[in-house]
Amino acid sequence: MSLPLHVKGSPRALPSTEASFLWRKLSEHRTALWRTASIGLFFLVWEIAGRVPISFAFPTFLETLRAFLTMLFNGAFVAAYAQTLQPLVIGIAISAVVGVGVGIVMGLSRFAEWLVAPVFIVLQAAPMAALIPLITFVYGIGLMAKTLAVIMLALPVIALNGYKAVRNANPSLVAMCVSFQGTRWQRITKIIIPDASPVIFAGLRLGLAAGFIGVILAELLITPTGIGDLITYHRSVADYPEMYAAVVSIILVSTLTLAALEAFELRVLRPEKRRT
Amino acid sequence: MRNITAQATAAATRLAGSDVAVEVRGISKLYSEVEALRAIDLDFPRGKLTTLLGPSGCGKTTLLKIIAGLIPATAGEIRVNGQVVTGPGPERAFVFQDFALMPWATVMRNVAFGLELKGMGRDERQAIAAKYIAEVGLTGFESKYPHELSGGMRQRVGLARAFAVNADVLLLDEPFSAVDEQNRRKFQEDLLSLVEKEKKTFIFVTHSIEEAVYCSDRIVILSRRPGRISQIIEPEIDRSASPDAIRRDQSYLDTVEEIWQGLKRYVD
Amino acid sequence: MKLFGYRVPMMASLIVWCAIWELVGRSGALFLIPPLSDVLVAAVALVQTGTWQAAAITTLNSFLVGMALAILVGVAIGVLMGRSVAADNLLGIWVNIFVSAPLSALVPVLMILFGMGETTVVVTVFLFAVWIIVLDTRAGIQGVPPSLIEMGRSYGASRFALYFRIILLSALPEILAGIRLGVIRGVKGVVIGQLLVSILGYGELFELYSRNFDMENFWALTIILFAAAMLLSGLIESLEKRVDYYAGVR
């Protein structure tokens, strides 16, 4: 929005420059405004649907918010997440190390690719959740079983992303490294892995998303602990606002974690996508 | 302009007596069923800029990559400074069509990359890189990333990287094809002064007739697949004239026209 | 992968893994892994039982209804978001949240809202599949070259023709890719839904066999399920390949 030059400085121009200033301020924060509007609208619809009510088991937004804040401050969430995050963190750490390693090896070696990649392709496309009942009676109902549930869901996507990233490393950059007589080791460490790292990292992000699904599933299917326990318990005593608050909290935690990882990825790994 | 037709004087592809930097002997290349190059014999004079020109798919880039040691030939051999080529070597440096810059590295690291691979210390290689960054006119951009540069500037980085390893022979694979027209002209002019200054052997692949005539001491025209040498032309243009004068020079225009008449039959 | 000069197809290595499975099963080292041959025999017997057939039909039914809804709604919302900035801004965050949120946490909520029946499973399938279809459709619509739309306008295409003859067709490669990913997620959804509801179709059988330590039948179920999932995604992939030729040249 540009104003004709001659208006500038004349007293009559004042309100219009002011208006344009406001407009500029507004458009600067346009995404933030849209976001607020979008979130506000969602909550409004929720509140109305809860007040109608569409179901006896559908609390209003405000009831859920109240339950959320109560559980946040009375320590219920803290205790639950201390339990839930344990298998998640351990499982993701193991999946990350093993998955990235296996992925890189599959990307570099034709034989490893032939032997291992199809297994991961099947595991990623297949509903691994079906195997969770199996883990239960082998590893019981403890941390081990839940960690395994996380690994089963997170590992294939991490390994496959690592594999694809390494396999599709920019051939022109690889040729460049070869033309400057880089050794095989230099080629891998200086070109292929840096070139693959954004996709590998994106794989870790997808793996974490899958891990969240896995840990919740484990807590709902194996034994109710942590956040799964909050959901199951409040459901059984018909405390629906508390139950919804627990569900919202896990979606919130996973969304915020994933968003933080994405921001990190943009800042550190992809200088070409960074806005300067 | 000296026009040497290959079929008439096969020996003309070999330079009797004069100093030869790169010798191509009986190079053929087969890609499974497709014959890309057939029995190429060619000498590249030292300190000159030789262009490989031809219709797309004539194998000119393939020949350049064989000389670079990036792809193996099916038959024949390449000698650089008398040594048979078995792979990439320190006496040759390649400039890539798509620049091949590492997006995660600054201009400085990109230019110094060839030296980094050789294990040269950080300060030493950066000093050398800085010199060539200045030479290609990118002083002040050392800490920028490739995505912050225009296409022309990116290729200058690629050129500086090739200069930095101090190779005798520079191999340029259509270096300006991803650069817009105005920048390309300026870049061609700069390249000529760098050729003058660096005293290196340049082998240059292009599909632009004007570019070839403007830049080259010697133009090798390849026929369509299977690639063979159809003509060798040495444009006799007074390089001491200003770039704009050269582009209006009658000899320049005649050479362009002559090559176009020869290549026309390959166009579908 | 080449062996003695012959190209060995990649998926052939699965045969190696099957052989390893058979050996491990024969050795009896792990009671939870019976020999593959026993599992296959069990699978053949299983598919002939009425229990399995009923479970398969229930499962397939929930899956198909959920997927059909997800495709219809997903493509519609994707087109809306691709064409309207306001819709994109209003819905964008939520689609992006739900596409990667742990939706398994929502299933208990669905169970109290929709009861312990097929409806819950259908909604689970829908929720698992719909978001990725929306995102891919939106990307496809936004990738339609403006010149193609202007071409349609300049030749007097009606609004209907513009959408159905140009925009949707041009975005078809992305829409199909979205549907394929949606199908994979939908299969996971139907399994998770049935496991959590646990009195329905496949989920019920999984519960039954794992509780009775009936490993042959458990693995037979799993293999049939995995094979169906792979077959389905392969089917859509081959459909994708048929429009792939213009994905690169638009």
Side-chain angles (χ1 to χ4, degrees), chain B:
Chain B
M1 159 179 69
R2 229 157 59 93
N3 187 347
I4 310 156
T5 304
Q7 285 94 333
T9 52
T13 56
R14 302 197 182 178
L15 300 165
S18 67
D19 192 8
V20 176
V22 179
E23 299 161 72
V24 175
R25 290 289 173 269
I27 288 287
S28 297
K29 179 69 186 175
L30 287 167
Y31 285 111
S32 56
E33 300 298 296
V34 185
E35 191 177 15
L37 293 169
R38 181 183 292 173
I40 305 273
D41 270 312
L42 197 57
D43 281 350
F44 294 91
R46 188 177 304 282
K48 302 277 185 197
L49 194 153
T50 308
T51 295
L52 299 172
L53 180 70
S56 51
C58 72
K60 51 193 191 295
T61 293
T62 304
L63 181 58
L64 194 75
K65 287 192 168 169
I66 291 174
I67 295 173
L70 287 173
I71 48 181
T74 312
E77 67 176 25
I78 305 283
R79 259 180 257 144
V80 178
N81 299 334
Q83 299 283 314
V84 175
V85 163
T86 53
E91 73 290 346
R92 282 156 292 148
F94 204 93
V95 176
F96 291 81
Q97 184 176 359
D98 62 354
F99 320 135
L101 299 182
M102 300 175 291
W104 59 84
T106 58
V107 166
M108 175 57 90
R109 177 148 185 241
N110 266 298
V111 172
F113 189 66
L115 304 170
E116 180 184 336
L117 288 179
K118 287 182 178 164
M120 186 183 282
R122 190 190 176 85
D123 293 341
E124 194 183 350
R125 65 174 192 250
Q126 293 203 341
I128 296 173
K131 173 178 170 237
Y132 287 101
I133 289 173
E135 203 157 279
V136 298
L138 284 181
T139 308
F141 291 92
E142 289 85 350
S143 50
K144 294 267 187 240
Y145 286 89
H147 70 276
E148 298 169 295
L149 306 179
S150 70
M153 288 158 88
R154 284 182 217 183
Q155 194 54 292
R156 285 167 192 267
V157 176
L159 197 62
R161 177 174 62 192
F163 278 132
V165 291
N166 196 25
D168 303 330
V169 180
L170 272 88
L171 308 165
L172 297 89
D173 180 15
E174 305 199 20
F176 306 134
S177 66
V179 175
D180 69 74
E181 179 64 27
Q182 284 83 32
N183 277 307
R184 191 178 330 177
R185 286 199 166 206
K186 181 77 180 68
F187 202 162
Q188 286 163 358
E189 290 167 15
D190 292 353
L191 180 70
L192 279 184
S193 58
L194 284 166
V195 170
E196 198 64 30
K197 191 171 162 197
E198 288 287 326
K199 303 280 180 228
K200 290 180 188 299
T201 307
F202 287 77
I203 305 178
F204 189 98
V205 162
T206 182
H207 57 246
S208 158
I209 301 173
E210 283 83 1
E211 188 168 287
V213 177
Y214 179 73
C215 300
S216 319
D217 299 308
R218 195 173 152 90
I219 301 170
V220 177
I221 299 172
L222 296 177
S223 67
R224 210 167 190 182
R225 195 176 289 151
R228 309 174 71 174
I229 296 166
S230 75
Q231 228 181 3
I232 294 179
I233 287 175
E234 293 187 349
E236 283 165 352
I237 292 167
D238 179 16
R239 305 259 175 223
S240 58
S242 76
D244 304 294
I246 294 178
R247 288 188 211 274
R248 281 197 304 270
D249 183 62
Q250 194 54 46
S251 167
Y252 167 84
L253 295 170
D254 286 348
T255 312
V256 170
E257 183 59 21
E258 152 103 21
I259 296 176
W260 165 236
Q261 291 305 331
L263 281 175
K264 214 148 104 176
R265 60 198 151 102
Y266 297 123
V267 179
D268 28 36

Side-chain angles (χ1 to χ4, degrees), chain A residues 34-35 38-39 42 55 57 110-111 113-115 117-119 121-122 124-131 133-134 137-138 163 209 212-213 216-217 220-221 231 235 240 243-244 247 250-251 254-255 258, chain C residues 1 8-14 16-17 31-32 86 89-90 93-94 97 100-102 104-106 108-109 111-113 116 184 187-188 191-192 195-196 206 210 213 215 218-219 222 225-226 229-230:
Chain A
W34 271 114
R35 199 160 286 179
S38 169
I39 294 172
F42 182 87
S55 160
R110 289 273 166 187
F111 179 73
E113 175 190 25
W114 175 80
L115 190 66
V119 177
I121 291 172
V122 172
Q124 200 205 355
M128 290 295 278
L131 296 179
L134 191 70
F137 63 73
V138 183
Y163 153 64
F212 267 106
I213 295 182
I216 290 302
L217 216 49
L220 291 175
L221 276 176
I231 295 173
R235 178 180 154 213
Y240 296 123
M243 177 194 172
Y244 277 59
V247 171
I250 186 73
I251 291 177
S254 106
T255 304
L258 295 174
Chain C
M1 173 74 192
V8 184
M10 188 136 129
M11 284 297 171
S13 66
L14 288 178
V16 176
W17 291 103
F31 96 98
L32 87 158
N89 280 322
L90 280 181
I93 318 174
W94 297 103
I97 286 178
S100 53
S104 44
L106 269 178
V109 172
M111 288 197 285
I112 51 169
L113 287 181
M116 303 288 281
I184 293 174
V187 172
K188 294 179 178 174
V191 170
I192 289 174
L195 277 175
L196 288 173
F206 267 120
S210 67
F213 301 103
M215 283 296 102
F218 181 89
W219 281 111
T222 312
L225 186 67
F226 279 25
M230 295 303 289

Side-chain angles (χ1 to χ4, degrees), chain A residues 170 172-173 175-182 186 190-191 194-195 269 271-274 276, chain B residues 70 88-90 94 96 98 100-104 113-114 116-118 145 147-148 161 165:
Chain A
N170 187 346
S172 178
L173 282 182
M176 185 274 289
C177 188
V178 172
S179 84
F180 287 106
Q181 305 105 55
Q186 285 176 323
K190 288 185 187 282
I191 298 289
D195 197 42
L269 295 170
E272 72 274 18
K273 286 200 179 161
R274 205 181 298 153
T276 41
Chain B
L70 287 173
F94 204 93
F96 291 81
D98 62 354
L101 299 182
M102 300 175 291
W104 59 84
F113 189 66
E116 180 184 336
L117 288 179
K118 287 182 178 164
Y145 286 89
H147 70 276
E148 298 169 295
R161 177 174 62 192
V165 291

